[in-house]
Amino acid sequence: MKRILTVGAVAVLGAGVLGCGVVNQVKQAVDNVSAITDLADRLGKSSQLTFTAEYKTDDGTTTTVVQQPPKAAYLGKDGRFILTEDALYSCTGPANKVVCQKSPVQTGSLSAADQSAYLSAVAGGGFISTEMALGLMTAAAVVPGVKIAQNTATIAGQKSDCLDVTGIPRDNDPNAVTAKEFHVCVAENGLLTRFKGVGTDDKALGVELTKFSGDVDPKAFVPPKGAKIVEASSPPGTGK
C-alpha cells in the first residue's frame, strides 16, 4: 500500500464571547499565517524557475528534479515522471526494458493529488514535492495550537529561510498518514531546499537539496533511449 501524505485543517471561530484562551488562539493563528505567507508565496513562484536540482530523501536515495516551464521531469530510483506541454510520461522498469505510458495531459491540468501519487511511484513515498510542501504549509497555518518558529540555513549553497512547525493534530481519517511536525526551508529564489517531517505513523519523510544548477538537459524531458512507448487515452491509474 502506498504511503501518501495528507494534512486536514479546519479553523472554526465561534460567535460567542471570546475568553482569553480563545483570543490567544486567534492571535497565534494570525501570527502563524503571517509567518508562513511570505515563505509560501516565494515557494509558489518557483514554478517559473528553470533549474536542475538533486535531492536526497530520508531513505538515502536520490531524486533529480529538472524544470524548464512549462516542462518538468522527476528522475527517481524507480522510474521517471515527465510533464510536457501536451503529454504525461510515466516510465518504469529496468534500464534495458523501460516502458513509458504516454497520455495527453497538459502540465496545468493534472491534479496535485495525482501528481503526488505519480511522484511517489517513481521517487518513493517519502519524497516531498514543492506542491506537497506548499499544501502542508498552507494547511498548518490555520490549525489552532500549531507552533511555528523561524530560522535560517544555507543548504547546497542556497541561503534559505526556514520554519519549524510543531503541534499539528492528528487527521480524523484513520487511514491517512499526516505530518505531526515538519521543518521546511525555501531559498531566496523560491526553491524548496529542505523538508523534514515526522508522520503520525512516526516514520520520517522529506528531502534535502544536495546540488543545484540553473542549467537543464533537454534529454530529461523525453523518454529514455530505447524505451517502449505505450499510447493511452488517459493517464495510468495512480493506485488510489
Side-chain angles (χ1 to χ4, degrees):
M1 182 177 180
K2 293 180 180 177
R3 181 166 172 265
I4 299 176
L5 180 69
T6 61
V7 167
V10 178
V12 179
L13 300 180
V17 177
L18 297 181
C20 292
V22 176
V23 171
N24 288 336
Q25 287 182 8
V26 172
K27 182 179 183 302
Q28 182 177 349
V30 172
D31 291 342
N32 286 350
V33 171
S34 177
I36 282 182
T37 297
D38 288 343
L39 209 61
D41 286 347
R42 189 192 308 175
L43 185 63
K45 294 176 181 177
S46 67
S47 62
Q48 303 304 313
L49 296 176
T50 293
F51 65 86
T52 299
E54 186 175 289
Y55 292 93
K56 184 177 181 180
T57 59
D58 278 339
D59 63 4
T61 60
T62 297
T63 296
T64 300
V65 180
V66 186
Q67 181 174 289
Q68 187 175 38
K71 296 177 290 187
Y74 301 83
L75 289 65
K77 61 178 182 178
D78 295 321
R80 180 177 301 198
F81 172 63
I82 304 169
L83 278 170
T84 68
E85 295 89 340
D86 55 9
L88 177 155
Y89 294 89
S90 181
C91 305
T92 57
N96 60 338
K97 294 183 179 180
V98 176
V99 176
C100 296
Q101 295 192 54
K102 178 185 178 182
S103 52
V105 177
Q106 296 180 348
T107 53
S109 65
L110 189 66
S111 73
D114 279 345
Q115 183 170 336
S116 296
Y118 289 125
L119 292 181
S120 293
V122 302
F127 181 78
I128 300 295
S129 68
T130 296
E131 293 79 11
M132 295 167 72
L134 187 58
L136 286 164
M137 292 168 62
T138 303
V142 295
V143 179
V146 168
K147 296 182 180 179
I148 296 179
Q150 297 172 281
N151 47 76
T152 60
T154 299
I155 303 167
Q158 304 294 308
K159 293 182 178 179
S160 306
D161 292 311
C162 308
L163 297 176
D164 290 311
V165 183
T166 57
I168 303 173
R170 188 181 184 89
D171 194 281
N172 290 329
D173 181 357
N175 296 317
V177 177
T178 62
K180 62 182 180 181
E181 62 183 54
F182 63 84
H183 167 79
V184 59
C185 296
V186 181
E188 294 176 343
N189 63 1
L191 186 73
L192 177 68
T193 53
R194 179 189 290 153
F195 187 102
K196 299 290 183 179
V198 178
T200 48
D201 58 357
D202 293 322
K203 292 182 180 179
L205 48 92
V207 296
E208 181 163 340
L209 182 72
T210 55
K211 293 181 181 179
F212 174 79
S213 171
D215 299 324
V216 298
D217 183 352
K219 293 180 180 179
F221 306 117
V222 297
K225 186 177 180 180
K228 178 181 179 181
I229 309 299
V230 178
E231 298 280 351
S233 59
S234 61
T238 59
K240 294 180 295 179

